[in-house]
Amino acid sequence: MASTAAANASVVEEFHKLAIDHLQAAAIALFSDYGKDLQVSESTKEEKRRLSLSLGAAIGFTSEHVRGVLAIAVDERLAKDMNPLSTDDSGAENSKANSTDWIGELANQLLGRLKNKLLANGVELALSTPVVVQGTHLRLGAVHRRATRLLFTDAENQAHVWWDAEVDSDLVISESTEEPQSEGEMVLF
Amino acid sequence: MANKKVLVVDDSATVRQQVALALSPAGFDVVEAVDGVQGLKLIETTEELRLVICDVNMPHKNGIEMLSEAKADGKNADLPIVMLTTEGQPALIKKAKEAGACGWIVKPFKADRLVAAAQKLTA
């Protein structure tokens, strides 16, 4: 009995480690695709120079044995810099660019990438649609013990990503041979 | 010659504008819908619609549901529908293909490749 419980706890631990590793890689690649070389930071100095987070988005997800929420928060400038519509072809500012809509789409694309990576581990998440919040000095209070906050930085910017997942101990992590279609890839049938 | 009409269905205004910015200079008129409900309505009411580009995860009616309803009972058989989404799972792609989709693009998309696909599908 004790060994079964230990094995189940080990699966939960393994899933959290996998998810965080995948999430870090997915976020770095996503930010890079939108022109920002942000890297994972564990520095307390970075914490102390915390920028005012003014835009955030959260998306829920669920599967048979995993459920939770992913959230992202950035300052207005970073959201604008990563928005593909922030400037027009001539480099002039585009008044139609909407940072609030964009942060929701960014969260959607981040969770989509994580979902595609977890498919290789036999975990298939179903995603909700994003909820966007706007304010000053945003903070997210973790509901579960397992909530993890990741900080991505460069010299000027910070992006905060929260991952809060509840995992059943009967989750099975397996290897899937099915390759998901990659980001940017187009297939015509 | 009149521009070809393309319907883009996505709950993100940013993505809809990105698609419009890519396709408009190439001679397409882009019509927008914010979810599958509005998308379905526009498929039925827009004259001479040549192509639909549709997200999957949307409120009210998702893209797969919209696709299935648009193609049900042989309707819109000649209208190409391409899915543009963050999703890449093979089972979902297979389901869309079986429901009548003619392509699948995982975001973020490359503008020149989207234009090339739109030109090919509306030729």
Side-chain angles (χ1 to χ4, degrees), chain B residues 48-93:
Chain B
E48 296 182 30
L49 187 61
R50 300 290 298 277
L51 173 67
V52 178
I53 297 171
C54 183
D55 188 17
V56 171
N57 291 323
M58 294 184 289
H60 307 125
K61 189 185 290 288
N62 72 43
I64 302 292
E65 290 169 333
M66 192 206 84
L67 166 72
S68 300
E69 289 184 39
K71 294 284 187 181
D73 304 322
K75 285 186 297 181
N76 302 300
D78 296 330
L79 178 65
I81 301 182
V82 176
M83 311 310 289
L84 172 63
T85 175
T86 61
E87 306 267 355
Q89 68 198 97
L92 199 57
I93 296 171

Side-chain angles (χ1 to χ4, degrees), chain B residues 11-56:
Chain B
D11 55 332
S12 166
T14 303
V15 173
R16 295 196 306 273
Q17 285 175 44
Q18 271 187 289
V19 172
L21 281 172
L23 295 183
S24 297
F28 293 94
D29 281 340
V30 176
V31 183
E32 299 182 18
V34 300
D35 58 30
V37 173
Q38 195 181 13
L40 205 54
K41 195 171 180 181
L42 285 173
I43 286 173
E44 301 306 331
T45 58
T46 305
E47 289 182 10
E48 296 182 30
L49 187 61
R50 300 290 298 277
L51 173 67
V52 178
I53 297 171
C54 183
D55 188 17
V56 171

Side-chain angles (χ1 to χ4, degrees), chain A residues 56-144:
Chain A
I59 308 187
F61 55 85
T62 187
S63 75
E64 192 177 357
H65 298 294
V66 181
R67 61 209 69 82
V69 65
L70 177 143
I72 182 170
V74 298
D75 65 287
E76 180 81 30
R77 187 181 63 176
L78 181 58
K80 198 172 172 181
D81 286 350
M82 285 197 289
N83 188 330
L85 298 179
S86 61
T87 55
D88 62 21
D89 289 342
S90 66
E93 192 166 318
N94 177 8
S95 60
K96 287 185 179 174
N98 181 334
S99 293
T100 311
D101 177 81
W102 171 238
I103 193 70
E105 178 59 21
L106 195 68
N108 182 43
Q109 291 192 21
L110 178 56
L111 189 53
R113 285 176 187 234
L114 176 63
K115 173 180 176 170
N116 288 341
K117 287 177 182 291
L118 285 172
L119 283 172
N121 306 116
V123 178
E124 185 179 328
L125 303 180
L127 317 186
S128 72
T129 49
V131 172
V132 175
V133 291
Q134 189 169 22
T136 54
H137 304 287
L138 296 177
R139 295 281 191 278
L140 188 76
V143 176
H144 299 111

Side-chain angles (χ1 to χ4, degrees), chain A residues 33 112-114 116 181-185, chain B residues 86 106-108 110:
Chain A
D33 277 353
R113 285 176 187 234
L114 176 63
N116 288 341
Q181 190 173 316
S182 304
E183 291 81 22
E185 194 180 340
Chain B
T86 61
V106 179
K107 296 175 185 175
K110 301 258 191 309

